[in-house]
Amino acid sequence: MGKTEKSERSEPAIAAPKPLGELAADVRSLIEAARLRVAQTVNAELVLLYWQIGNRIRRDVLGQTRAEYGEQIVSTLSRQLTVEYGAGFSRPNLFHMIRFVEAWPDQAAMTTLAQHLGWSHFKEILYLENDLARHFYAEMCRLERWSVRTLRERVRSMMFERNRDIAAARSNHPGGPSTAPRGR
């Protein structure tokens, strides 16, 4: 067998690789999807941490002491935590965490929402006086994937109150809800 016989043999067919641009785009998509999942997990864990901190302070400090003594303890705790962990544990933020537990006492329900809402979303609606409005806005954020800016705009525009008034008007209409005039 000479050299010519070797070169005449056919090589097994190898699938042509994807063009480099397409491969790079696929890898970028994988990286971005992983980053998004990591960010969502971190946000959910932070929200859970803040709820647990608020719960612990509320239960162990504020629940069993005079208000001024409890506030002093929160201030002292805040100074210690801020030195170790940064401004996220300032006195006002610790009080936001306490309010968070008061607004969402059911940890399971809060944990479900925390999969979809960040701490900034919760802070926007923590101090709404109406529990139903607070839960309405939280659900709308979850379902519609509102940004914090969108949530803030909807709260300022009193979306809950407007929808509640429309629903009340429809249900009080003499012909019943199905025959109530629809606004545009």
Side-chain angles (χ1 to χ4, degrees):
M1 267 195 191
K3 287 186 180 181
T4 56
E5 290 180 27
K6 269 190 177 178
S7 61
E8 291 175 9
R9 287 189 215 155
S10 63
E11 296 288 323
I14 298 175
K18 287 184 174 183
L20 187 54
E22 189 177 334
L23 176 61
D26 289 350
V27 171
R28 281 187 192 96
S29 293
L30 293 171
I31 292 168
E32 292 302 320
R35 282 182 174 175
L36 181 61
R37 288 190 309 274
V38 167
Q40 289 171 332
T41 300
V42 168
N43 284 332
E45 285 299 319
L46 279 174
V47 169
L48 177 59
L49 171 66
Y50 295 158
W51 188 92
Q52 290 170 332
I53 290 169
N55 188 48
R56 180 70 189 265
I57 293 170
R58 185 170 181 265
R59 185 186 70 222
D60 294 356
V61 176
L62 299 179
Q64 301 169 354
T65 60
R66 296 186 326 265
E68 15 179 285
Y69 179 69
E71 289 210 18
Q72 289 173 357
I73 290 174
V74 171
S75 293
T76 302
L77 176 63
S78 170
R79 283 192 297 276
Q80 292 173 358
L81 293 175
T82 301
V83 167
E84 286 183 62
Y85 300 105
F89 298 94
S90 66
R91 183 179 178 280
N93 279 343
L94 291 181
F95 280 105
H96 292 320
M97 294 173 201
I98 294 164
R99 175 65 186 140
F100 186 35
V101 173
E102 294 167 350
W104 274 275
D106 179 5
Q107 184 178 1
M110 177 280 307
T111 301
T112 299
L113 278 175
Q115 300 300 315
H116 306 279
L117 279 65
W119 177 239
S120 296
H121 287 93
F122 283 107
K123 276 181 48 180
E124 281 296 319
I125 55 179
L126 275 182
Y127 295 97
L128 293 177
E129 291 180 23
N130 185 324
D131 286 343
L132 196 55
R134 191 178 320 112
H135 291 282
F136 167 82
Y137 287 117
E139 272 301 299
M140 290 302 293
C141 284
R142 184 182 72 79
L143 294 171
E144 299 290 328
R145 307 181 119 213
W146 286 351
S147 67
V148 175
R149 174 184 281 174
T150 300
L151 170 60
R152 189 176 300 126
E153 290 169 358
R154 299 302 191 270
V155 170
R156 284 185 183 151
S157 74
M158 300 178 69
M159 180 181 184
F160 170 77
E161 290 78 5
R162 287 184 291 122
N163 285 320
R164 182 189 59 198
D165 293 344
I166 290 168
R170 286 184 180 159
S171 65
N172 291 332
H173 189 271
S178 61
T179 61
R182 295 188 186 262
R184 292 185 190 218

